[in-house]
Amino acid sequence: MVKISAAGKKALDDLIAQFQAEKKLPGFGIVVTSVDRELYASAGGFRVHDDPTSGPVTPDSLYWICSMAKLITALACLVLIEQGKLNFDDPVTKYLPQFKDPVVLEGLVATPTPKPRPAQGVPTILHLLSHSSGSTYFAKQREPVYSLGKGYTFEQTGGREQAQDEFLEHIKEGYSGIPLAADPGTSFSYGYSSDILGIIIARVAGQSLADFCEQYIFEPIGIKTTFRLTPELIAKLVELSFRNEDGSISRFEDQIQLIQRYPKEVLLDLGGIGGYSTFPDYATLLRHLLRIEAGKDVPHPILKQETVKTLFKPQLTEAGAAALAAVIPRWDPNVARAGVNWSTGLALTTSDLPGKRKANSAFWFGWAGTLYVIDPTTGIAIVAGSQIIPTFDRGVVEMFEKVEGIIYANLEDD
């Protein structure tokens, strides 16, 4: 077993104190777990930026984890695959006829007016899991660029299936078919793959994505992670903040439109962005996966060991890995240089990062300032971050880099 040394814990405590004193971030938290137990949990700042009366952020504070929900949706899909209700090679058209005639947008990056052409093939379930389906967030240019697309911000009305159909219509962005950045299976493209997968899960399971995850993931593990806010959860939620162009931080004041959430009824559980969790609960999920991967005894395992191991095996083509590497430098250029890929649910580093995570560690981030790393070789996972936009906030990136460095420099045998 590993633990963080006393010196390491002090260094983390000092880092939190520094970030609070220098007001580098609004409310934030840090949680570290080993394969066996939680090693560290602390937090700093206030639930509402610069408002002490809102109460301090604590390890039990709730965060909108945004794209960290993508892992949860992938796990739900893998559960259905183990149940024999889905297959990796199932075409998406088997469940969603809207994907019958997708189009690839030629020149998407180079020009504001890309030319659509018929896609060669249709995405499969594995393509959705590995983000090689071609689905993209950027079929149409948005202003500002970090704002959320209409697929996330449209007003959900009617029933659950109507909201699903409306989502699929919105992500067409006016094209004749679902727009893709590349032919399915040929590259990596960051987009709505997890949300599409969430709709398929709901239709195959005959229940909402939220209810399915509660039954097969959250309840067995014993965590309160959710896709649905309540008045009680709202009271624990760390409020969003905004990083101004001059580097100062202010409260979020509807600078951009967000996803639909309480008190409005959520009819469409967005598998790519709609999750909420405390950091200890998300770390518990990662620890659950670490224990299964390591072959340790796990009460109520959500997946088999052979399935969990696929989470740490690359699935992208060489071109796909290069496309993913082009996205990563906004977070950490060192990660991109080390080599990256994507598995059945996680981004992977393909070589060691000196003084940090080992090869085949998994990682990702949330749009509103949350990040995680899960390292099966070392047997630890880190969850940390804040609630601040625009995404890839420099304060969040700085904090996570320092946290990871401190932890790996201060691990010792227990």
Side-chain angles (χ1 to χ4, degrees):
M1 292 194 296
V2 297
K3 67 177 183 179
I4 303 172
S5 68
K9 290 181 179 180
K10 183 180 184 303
L12 291 172
D13 290 342
D14 290 345
L15 182 68
I16 290 172
Q18 176 194 352
F19 268 67
Q20 286 186 114
E22 298 178 6
K23 297 185 177 180
K24 289 191 172 186
L25 279 176
F28 62 95
I30 302 167
V31 175
V32 187
T33 183
S34 72
V35 69
D36 298 299
R37 66 191 187 282
E38 183 177 279
L39 300 179
Y40 182 87
S42 192
F46 306 110
R47 202 175 65 80
V48 177
H49 175 61
D50 251 3
D51 180 8
T53 66
S54 67
V57 175
T58 72
D60 290 329
S61 294
L62 190 73
Y63 294 79
W64 178 25
I65 59 172
C66 299
S67 287
M68 285 167 52
K70 288 177 168 65
L71 169 60
I72 295 167
T73 303
L75 296 176
C77 177
L78 294 174
V79 169
L80 283 175
I81 288 173
E82 284 194 351
Q83 292 177 353
K85 297 176 181 178
L86 281 177
N87 294 289
F88 285 121
D89 57 358
D90 283 346
V92 173
T93 46
K94 181 177 179 180
Y95 309 101
L96 301 176
Q98 292 92 334
F99 272 84
K100 182 180 179 183
D101 297 304
V103 296
V104 172
L105 304 181
E106 295 280 10
L108 180 59
V109 176
T111 174
T113 56
K115 295 181 179 179
R117 65 160 172 82
Q120 297 180 17
V122 297
T124 65
I125 296 298
L126 181 57
H127 294 153
L128 294 176
L129 287 167
S130 62
H131 296 275
S132 61
S133 71
S135 175
T136 175
Y137 284 141
F138 305 106
K140 287 286 177 71
Q141 291 187 343
R142 298 194 301 273
E143 185 61 39
V145 67
Y146 57 81
S147 61
L148 301 177
K150 190 65 173 177
Y152 283 158
T153 60
F154 75 96
E155 185 175 358
Q156 300 174 18
T157 59
R160 188 173 72 203
E161 288 197 14
Q162 180 178 329
Q164 294 170 353
D165 290 339
E166 288 176 349
F167 167 85
L168 293 167
E169 185 63 31
H170 282 301
I171 68 171
K172 286 173 67 176
E173 297 279 12
Y175 289 101
S176 61
I178 302 290
L180 307 178
D183 289 310
T186 64
S187 189
F188 170 88
S189 178
Y190 203 49
Y192 295 107
S193 289
S194 297
D195 308 284
I196 295 161
L197 190 60
I199 292 174
I200 293 172
I201 291 166
R203 293 191 175 184
V204 170
Q207 60 187 134
S208 70
L209 176 64
D211 289 344
F212 185 85
C213 289
E214 176 64 29
Q215 180 177 352
Y216 291 100
I217 300 175
F218 306 148
E219 186 176 345
I221 295 175
I223 58 178
K224 299 298 182 182
T225 302
T226 183
F227 284 87
R228 305 282 176 83
L229 290 175
T230 63
E232 292 76 20
L233 292 177
I234 287 284
K236 296 174 55 180
L237 187 66
V238 180
E239 293 293 333
L240 278 175
S241 296
F242 191 85
R243 178 81 67 180
N244 302 301
E245 289 187 4
D246 65 2
S248 63
I249 302 171
S250 59
R251 299 183 191 183
F252 178 74
E253 295 177 339
D254 299 322
Q255 284 92 340
I256 60 171
Q257 190 174 353
L258 305 180
I259 66 173
Q260 188 157 310
R261 67 183 193 182
Y262 184 89
K264 290 186 176 180
E265 183 180 5
V266 175
L267 300 170
L268 175 61
D269 301 311
L270 293 166
I273 197 172
Y276 304 88
S277 183
T278 67
F279 285 171
D281 273 354
Y282 201 89
T284 298
L285 169 65
L286 299 183
R287 182 168 63 249
H288 186 86
L289 298 176
L290 280 174
R291 290 187 66 81
I292 295 174
E293 194 277 339
K296 291 180 175 286
D297 181 54
V298 181
H300 314 296
I302 62 171
L303 292 167
K304 298 174 183 176
Q305 183 184 33
E306 63 202 61
T307 302
V308 170
K309 283 187 176 295
T310 70
L311 292 169
F312 300 95
K313 293 181 179 179
Q315 296 292 333
L316 295 178
T317 63
E318 184 176 345
L324 173 58
V327 175
I328 301 304
R330 294 185 65 189
W331 175 12
D332 186 342
N334 294 321
V335 174
R337 284 194 289 268
V340 289
N341 209 294
W342 202 286
S343 69
T344 55
L346 293 162
L348 303 174
T349 50
T350 54
S351 62
D352 292 355
L353 268 66
K356 295 184 178 181
R357 72 197 76 162
K358 302 300 183 183
N360 298 318
S361 293
F363 68 98
W364 205 237
F365 58 89
W367 175 82
T370 58
L371 308 103
Y372 70 89
V373 164
I374 174 171
D375 179 351
T377 301
T378 309
I380 63 166
I382 308 165
V383 185
S386 183
Q387 295 280 251
I388 186 169
I389 56 173
T391 192
F392 293 109
D393 179 76
R394 66 191 187 190
V396 170
V397 171
E398 179 188 350
M399 182 187 71
F400 197 89
E401 287 180 344
K402 290 183 175 180
V403 167
E404 187 176 359
I406 289 169
I407 291 167
Y408 277 84
N410 289 278
L411 289 175
E412 59 186 25
D413 292 333
D414 192 359

